[in-house]
Amino acid sequence: MSGAGGPGSRVVVVGPAHPAKGGTALHTTELARHLAAAPGAEVKLVSWARQYPVALYPGRPEVPDGVPEVPAFEPTVRSLVWSSPASWVRTGRRIAPADLVVLTHVVPVQVPALLGVLAGLRSAGSGARTVVVAHNVLPHESRPGDALLVRRLLSGVDGVLVHTDAQAELARSLGAARVEVADLPPHLPGGAPLPGPAGSHVPRDGGVRLLSLGVVRGYKGVDVLLEALRLVPSARLTIAGELWGDAGRRVRELAVAPGLRGRVRLREGYVPAAELPALLAEHDALVLPYRTATASQNALLAFAHGLPVVATRTGSFPAQVRDGVDGVLVEPGSVPALAEGLLRLADGGLQRLREGVQPPDLEEPWFGYLAALRRAAGGTTAAAPPGGRLVAVAKRGAEHALWARVGVQRRAGELLAARELGAPPARRPVPSGVPRTGVLQDAAEVADAVAQTKRLRLPAHPDAPKNWDALGAVAAVLTLADDGSRAARVLDAGSARYSPVLPWLRLYGFGAERGALAGINLEFGAPVHRDGVEFRHGDVTDTGLPDGSLDAVTCLSVIEHGVPVPAFLAECARVLRPGGVLCVSTDYDADPPDTTGITAYGAPVRIFSPAGVRELVAQADRVGLELVGELTDDVLAHPERPVHWARTGLDYTFVLLTFRRR
């Protein structure tokens, strides 16, 4: 197998999709989309024509208006029927050429069909790796025989991916040999937030307006919420969703009981995605009073629309909700505890919590999720120690994860722009806080750089200090395009296909013209293209490019590895147009450690001293490259050595130098 969603891999995702409604269908669709974003991946989604016996699903199983809640994935084949064993085996045989088959497990009634798919794969001699994504290893309301069925499924695949540690333990107890855990990534329905009470920071007249959203079932604790509401007379509640069985009848009774009549509104029925923004805008907080839970994205949905969350300490909620910052956490199943939590909102805490709400990152969690999926399939994404094939494998994994994220983010921006009637994608702010010429001071600056990549939704470099100089270099290049054209031609000298500068520039809108963004390295062989960026063999001292053909050159953490610096600077001066920019970073220390006898990448290790940096600046000036900023003793000083190179045991820092071509 070439990897989950990796280059040349054929992946089949089996699970619910449109027109099925609910979070699992959204997750399956977005999983297929993110897997397909990997370069060279061929992904197919196989879904259900009929999922359940009618008796097991009291509500309507399909979205009421027929409109997909997230963009439908193509190709999608709806070949599975819960009551047709022939469809199960036939599906397995048809997908046998796949490298990886991902089976979505939701409820035990679908397990026989998934076992039939596995049987079809085996009968066709398939070599596909198989992974189960288990949203609920066992149902909240289990029946006799459920555990036996699920055991057969989990013990018959190569790996299992679950969303909480508790679910992982349950999966292992049911025979799963390889279990990976990853937080449920966002797959939020609905559009952008609308203005309303959530945006006003204060509740509307009549007290705090609370919202309970989703199907009402016993384990979701909506009856506990209603009992607690009796003790919070200033609050009002909307219950929006389908009301199922005994739990639904109990909620209807409580809603009109003394103390609650007139304060509870029942909005029965499924809430289509298009109606979610308006519904959320009408309320001040979302309440998740679950007795038990596995993983839910409702807290993230609330945060995306600016609402704080009151939730119980169960399932994924403790990891999603920051008690006292963007929400309130209480013990599950306790009426007094939930009432106390609601009172924290009603007594003036709402505004403070609302100010603590941050919109969730809708892309970053997917990359950890896909990495866990690869591990469950028998692959790896862990960084390997330096050396031979393991290094190459680790680099390829980092490279494909990075460029997959770039592709997903750019497509998401294009889709959003299309929805906004052709408006251009929203621009990210220019990175700030890193001087054009300066020294990385301490660990706090490293942390600030990593935090800034998250705020800007830029895929961070796994080696945290490298985000600092990358932000500075990208900011310098962006100053060349203050007219909004994003048409600069940029070369990353000594590039790696997993380093951040070129992907970040791509996300900022550079690279629309073929060849405008390129990376060269002596290690590269035949040219490789990643989302419009070309990586090719090349020498940083002899690029072969025409005179004055580039707007910017970046070269980060390269020249310390045996590069002839005068020849490199002369080549940069030759290929840059007048006014063009060169950004160079390198290992530096105000009092460098002794590196005698230490080598890396076939050359002696060099850590530049203040004198070495000043000599570099003088050499640049002689070939027409003028330093941007000043190089004083204060600039070159640093209180800490925030960079640690484990391979050599050395501690030091980085210097970033920006030059402009005269």
Side-chain angles (χ1 to χ4, degrees):
M1 187 187 75
S2 53
S9 61
R10 296 163 295 181
V11 183
V12 176
V13 180
V14 179
H18 179 77
K21 66 186 182 184
T24 305
L26 300 181
H27 174 271
T28 303
T29 303
E30 289 302 301
L31 175 60
R33 193 184 323 284
H34 281 81
L35 286 167
E42 300 175 13
V43 180
K44 178 187 292 185
L45 176 53
V46 174
S47 189
W48 297 83
R50 291 194 297 278
Q51 285 197 80
Y52 310 105
V54 174
L56 293 184
Y57 195 95
R60 181 177 175 179
E62 299 178 349
V63 291
D65 55 8
V67 177
E69 298 191 297
V70 294
F73 179 82
E74 295 298 338
T76 297
V77 178
R78 297 170 179 84
S79 60
L80 290 171
V81 177
W82 74 268
S83 58
S84 172
S87 75
W88 313 341
V89 177
R90 185 167 55 244
T91 295
R93 289 173 177 165
R94 286 176 176 171
I95 65 176
D99 299 304
L100 172 66
V101 174
V102 181
L103 303 170
T104 303
H105 165 54
V106 186
V107 291
V109 72
Q110 293 178 342
V111 169
L114 300 182
L115 292 172
V117 171
L118 292 172
L121 287 170
R122 288 193 296 269
S123 69
S126 175
R129 306 289 289 180
T130 52
V131 174
V132 165
V133 173
H135 289 264
N136 296 303
V137 173
L138 288 175
H140 297 280
E141 298 149 350
S142 60
R143 297 176 174 85
D146 286 350
L148 179 62
L149 275 174
V150 174
R151 179 181 292 275
R152 289 191 60 189
L153 175 64
L154 301 191
S155 62
V157 295
D158 295 302
V160 178
L161 177 60
V162 296
H163 302 133
T164 67
D165 291 334
Q167 289 285 289
E169 289 302 313
L170 183 56
R172 293 186 185 100
S173 74
L174 292 174
R178 185 185 187 100
V179 181
E180 293 291 334
V181 182
D183 291 339
L184 185 70
H187 41 283
L188 306 181
L194 297 177
S200 68
H201 297 258
V202 293
R204 61 175 56 185
D205 292 343
V208 176
R209 290 193 58 88
L210 306 172
L211 175 65
S212 170
L213 180 63
V215 175
V216 172
R217 301 176 67 180
Y219 71 89
K220 293 193 174 183
V222 180
D223 57 324
V224 179
L225 172 57
L226 286 167
E227 295 285 4
L229 196 67
R230 295 177 190 266
L231 306 176
V232 190
S234 62
R236 298 183 181 185
L237 172 67
T238 298
I239 299 172
E242 296 173 314
L243 275 59
W244 283 15
D246 292 340
R249 285 189 287 273
R250 175 63 174 158
V251 163
R252 290 190 187 97
E253 293 171 359
L254 287 172
V256 295
L260 293 178
R261 187 188 302 271
R263 293 201 292 130
V264 178
R265 175 168 70 105
L266 296 182
R267 187 194 184 284
E268 293 196 43
Y270 187 76
V271 182
E275 297 179 19
L276 282 171
L279 178 64
L280 289 160
E282 293 172 0
H283 294 85
D284 303 303
L286 182 71
V287 188
L288 302 169
Y290 287 48
R291 287 182 167 89
T292 63
T294 50
S296 170
Q297 67 167 355
N298 275 351
L300 302 181
L301 179 64
F303 294 152
H305 289 261
L307 274 69
V309 173
V310 179
T312 52
R313 289 188 174 91
T314 184
S316 59
F317 301 139
Q320 295 169 331
V321 179
R322 296 172 294 170
D323 188 33
V325 178
D326 53 22
V328 176
L329 290 171
V330 303
E331 294 308 309
S334 170
V335 170
L338 185 52
E340 183 180 350
L342 298 178
L343 285 168
R344 289 170 62 182
L345 297 183
D347 291 344
L350 176 63
Q351 180 174 344
R352 185 184 70 256
L353 295 176
R354 174 59 184 85
E355 291 170 350
V357 171
Q358 296 293 325
D361 188 328
L362 301 183
E363 294 300 332
E364 178 70 28
W366 277 102
F367 297 94
Y369 195 80
L370 296 184
L373 182 65
R374 284 190 289 271
R375 293 194 298 270
T380 180
T381 59
R389 185 173 178 274
L390 289 177
V391 166
V393 170
K395 287 180 178 179
R396 282 199 300 271
E399 170 193 344
H400 290 297
L402 170 64
W403 286 103
R405 178 173 180 182
V406 170
V408 168
Q409 282 201 27
R410 290 206 323 105
R411 291 183 184 92
E414 291 166 0
L415 284 171
L416 182 60
R419 291 176 186 172
E420 297 296 330
L421 302 177
R427 286 282 173 86
R428 288 175 169 81
V430 175
S432 60
V434 180
R436 298 294 179 268
T437 292
V439 171
L440 175 60
Q441 294 292 298
D442 50 32
E445 286 196 350
V446 174
D448 287 345
V450 173
Q452 186 169 180
T453 65
K454 293 181 179 179
R455 289 195 302 274
L456 297 175
R457 295 195 309 114
L458 300 171
H461 195 293
D463 189 355
K466 293 184 183 296
N467 294 288
W468 176 83
D469 52 345
L471 286 170
V474 166
V477 174
L478 284 167
T479 63
L480 293 172
D482 54 8
D483 62 352
S485 65
R486 299 295 196 260
R489 299 180 64 83
V490 183
L491 177 72
D492 190 28
S495 182
R497 291 192 291 266
Y498 55 85
S499 57
V501 169
L502 295 177
W504 290 1
L505 290 174
R506 194 72 181 101
L507 289 172
Y508 271 101
F510 290 84
E513 179 186 348
R514 184 175 178 83
L517 297 181
I520 60 170
N521 195 311
L522 290 171
E523 294 181 355
F524 293 159
V528 171
H529 292 86
R530 296 283 180 260
D531 196 61
V533 177
E534 182 181 65
F535 295 93
R536 62 178 182 268
H537 179 87
D539 186 340
V540 301
T541 66
D542 186 12
T543 64
L545 295 170
D547 293 357
S549 58
L550 296 178
D551 297 287
V553 176
T554 61
C555 184
L556 306 186
S557 296
V558 173
I559 63 171
E560 64 268 27
H561 300 300
V563 173
V565 173
F568 162 72
L569 293 171
E571 179 68 358
C572 290
R574 183 185 70 79
V575 298
L576 282 170
R577 64 164 174 81
V581 166
L582 167 65
C583 295
V584 179
S585 74
T586 189
D587 298 346
Y588 167 78
D589 198 284
D591 184 15
D594 183 8
T595 60
T596 303
I598 302 176
T599 61
Y601 310 114
V605 169
R606 179 180 184 184
I607 297 177
F608 278 72
S609 66
V613 171
R614 288 192 174 94
E615 175 58 24
L616 186 156
V617 171
Q619 292 169 345
D621 187 71
R622 286 194 286 271
V623 295
L625 296 170
E626 185 177 64
L627 186 69
V628 176
E630 297 184 19
L631 205 62
T632 65
D633 290 343
D634 287 343
V635 168
L636 289 172
H638 53 98
E640 296 181 14
R641 294 183 171 95
V643 180
H644 176 71
W645 190 356
R647 182 178 178 183
T648 63
L650 296 172
D651 295 304
Y652 48 92
T653 189
F654 292 152
V655 63
L656 176 65
L657 305 169
T658 299
F659 302 91
R660 190 173 293 274
R661 180 70 167 96
R662 283 196 291 267

